[in-house]
Amino acid sequence: MLAGFGPLGRTLSLTLLCVGALAVALWLLAHPPATAVAACDLLAAGLTVAFALAPAGRFGYLALPAVLVLWPRLAAAPGRPVPVPPPRPTHRRPAAVPIVSGDSVRTRE
């Protein structure tokens, strides 16, 4: 609606959009999410601010933040088995072996 008020409304809309993006970025730096649900909640809040303040927004876009709020909670519902990823193989390079020849010492990798 703000963009409908002409150039001043569009400028105000874009300014508020940048302030909202900055607020979400500062919140992310101050309180980094510890779980997938918390990360999706922060992303949903940021997208809600962006879609609400965008100069050419559509009402249907607000379905995406709603999905981001609901989907992780449904995926982590109690009683639902959580897949455990297989352990990662550990491949280590052998240590460098010193080569002594004459007066110089080199390492072979």
Side-chain angles (χ1 to χ4, degrees):
M1 281 188 343
L2 286 175
F5 292 118
L8 180 63
R10 183 172 172 83
T11 302
L12 182 62
S13 175
L14 290 173
T15 302
L16 288 173
L17 181 63
C18 290
V19 169
L22 182 64
V24 170
L26 290 175
W27 180 268
L28 180 62
L29 290 174
H31 306 284
T35 64
V37 172
C40 286
D41 287 346
L42 183 64
L43 181 59
L47 286 175
T48 301
V49 168
F51 292 151
L53 296 174
R58 307 283 192 281
F59 181 73
Y61 290 167
L62 293 176
L64 181 59
V67 169
L68 282 170
V69 168
L70 294 175
W71 195 351
R73 286 171 173 79
L74 293 174
R80 186 179 178 106
V82 178
V84 177
R88 296 190 313 183
T90 57
H91 298 292
R92 294 187 176 186
R93 291 181 52 185
V97 179
I99 301 172
V100 180
S101 66
D103 294 337
S104 66
V105 176
R106 297 180 314 212
T107 59
R108 177 179 59 189
E109 296 186 30

